[in-house]
Amino acid sequence: MDNVLQNNAFTAEHVFNSMANGLLVIDENDIIIVFNPAAEKIIGIAAANVVGKNVYESIPDTRLPIVNKTMVPELGCRQLISNSVIITNRTPIIVEGQSKGAVAIFEDISS
């Protein structure tokens, strides 16, 4: 059984990189910690240019820090980012009653 698990093991990074939807995760200080390839394509910014930076520096009109602070999800929201219209779900990451960041999953609905 251990060999089966080892042969089929994958990391969260493999999952994130395989997603068709954009994935953006910020920590409690609004620093981008995950920005997957689909997010790069939809938003038009390379992950290397945004990971480790405050989300407002790269995506000024984002509401993700608001979700981080209020701990209130925003679901099914339309937003214009770069040249794309997206639909997004933004949810806080809550650990022991405290916000530890927020996650946005989004897709381009422009076409």
Side-chain angles (χ1 to χ4, degrees), residues 7-92:
N7 291 337
N8 292 306
F10 51 85
T11 65
E13 184 177 7
H14 291 120
V15 173
F16 300 159
N17 289 342
S18 299
M19 293 174 59
N21 289 16
L23 176 66
L24 170 60
V25 182
I26 60 171
D27 68 11
E28 64 269 17
N29 298 309
D30 300 331
I31 303 300
I32 297 173
I33 57 173
V34 175
F35 196 79
N36 76 346
E40 290 180 309
K41 182 178 177 186
I42 293 166
I43 297 177
I45 302 171
N49 295 333
V50 298
V51 172
K53 295 183 180 175
N54 186 288
V55 69
Y56 281 129
E57 290 178 32
S58 303
I59 308 167
D61 56 348
T62 183
R63 292 186 49 81
L64 208 50
I66 295 166
V67 171
N68 185 19
K69 301 299 181 258
T70 64
M71 297 192 292
V72 176
E74 297 180 352
L75 306 175
C77 301
R78 287 179 183 256
Q79 183 177 353
L80 179 63
I81 293 197
S82 299
N83 295 322
S84 301
V85 176
I86 64 166
I87 190 156
T88 183
N89 292 318
R90 305 178 196 100
T91 55

